[in-house]
Amino acid sequence: MKALNEMKITFPSLSCNEGLARSAVAAFVTQLDPAVDELIDIRTAVSEAVTNCIVHAYPGGTGLITVTAKIYQNGRVQIKVKDRGIGIEDIKQAMEPLFTTGGEERSGLGFSVMESFADKLRVKSAKGKGTIVTLEKYISMQHRQGKQF
Ligand SMILES: Nc1ncnc2c1ncn2[C@@H]1O[C@H](COP(=O)(O)OP(=O)(O)OP(=O)(O)O)[C@@H](O)[C@H]1O
Ligand SMILES: [Mg+2]
C-alpha cells in the first residue's frame, strides 16, 4: 500500500539527537491532529527505539541512525528506526522485560515500553548488520475530522 505522506531523517548516534528524532516524528504526525495522549505514546516509543540505537548499536563509536515515518489510510502511522550496528543475536530474549546488556545504568524495559505505547511492534535484526524496529500507531478518527487523511 502506498503511503499518503512520508518523511526520513538520518543522523549520527549521538545522545543529543534523541530529542531531534522524537520531535521530528511528533511534528510530522501533527498533521493528523492526534490527541495529546497519542502524541505522547508516539514520542515515548520513538525515544526508546532511538535511545537503543544510540546506546547499544555502535559500542565504542558512532554510526548512523535512520528514522522514517509514513502515514497510511485511516490514521495508520508506521515508524521505522534503523541502525547498521552490531545487531541483536537473540531478539526474543532482548525483548523480555528486564533483560539488558547495558549493565546497571539500564533497566531493560525499553522494548516493554515500546510494546505498550505502540499498537504494534516488530523487531528485525541480524548480528553485525544492524537492527530495524518498526512501530505502528493508529491515530483515532475523531481527531481527524475535516483532515486530509
Ligand atoms: N539497536 C540495538 N542494537 C543492538 N542491541 C540492541 C538494540 N536495541 C536493543 N538492543 C539489545 O536489547 C536489550 C534490551 O533493550 P531494552 O531497550 O529493552 O533495554 P535496555 O536498553 O537495556 O534498557 P532501558 O531501555 O530500560 O534503558 C539491550 O540491552 C541490548 O542488548
Ligand atoms: Mg533501551
Side-chain angles (χ1 to χ4, degrees), residues 37-97:
D37 292 9
E38 292 169 334
L39 207 51
I40 290 172
D41 290 356
I42 288 173
R43 288 172 69 97
T44 307
V46 168
S47 169
E48 290 297 335
V50 171
T51 299
N52 275 355
C53 303
I54 292 168
V55 172
H56 303 293
Y58 303 105
T62 54
L64 292 178
I65 302 171
T66 297
V67 176
T68 56
K70 294 183 179 183
I71 291 171
Y72 293 93
Q73 289 291 352
N74 303 321
R76 181 163 70 95
V77 178
Q78 186 193 64
I79 300 150
K80 280 185 197 265
V81 178
K82 178 176 156 185
D83 66 66
R84 291 190 175 279
I86 58 167
I88 301 171
E89 216 170 335
D90 184 340
I91 295 174
K92 196 166 168 267
Q93 181 187 44
M95 292 179 79
E96 272 168 23

Side-chain angles (χ1 to χ4, degrees), residues 48 52 56-57 83 87-88 94 99-101 106-111 131:
E48 290 297 335
N52 275 355
H56 303 293
D83 66 66
I88 301 171
F99 176 86
T100 182
T101 55
R106 300 277 140 199
S107 48
L109 288 172
F111 280 126
T131 302

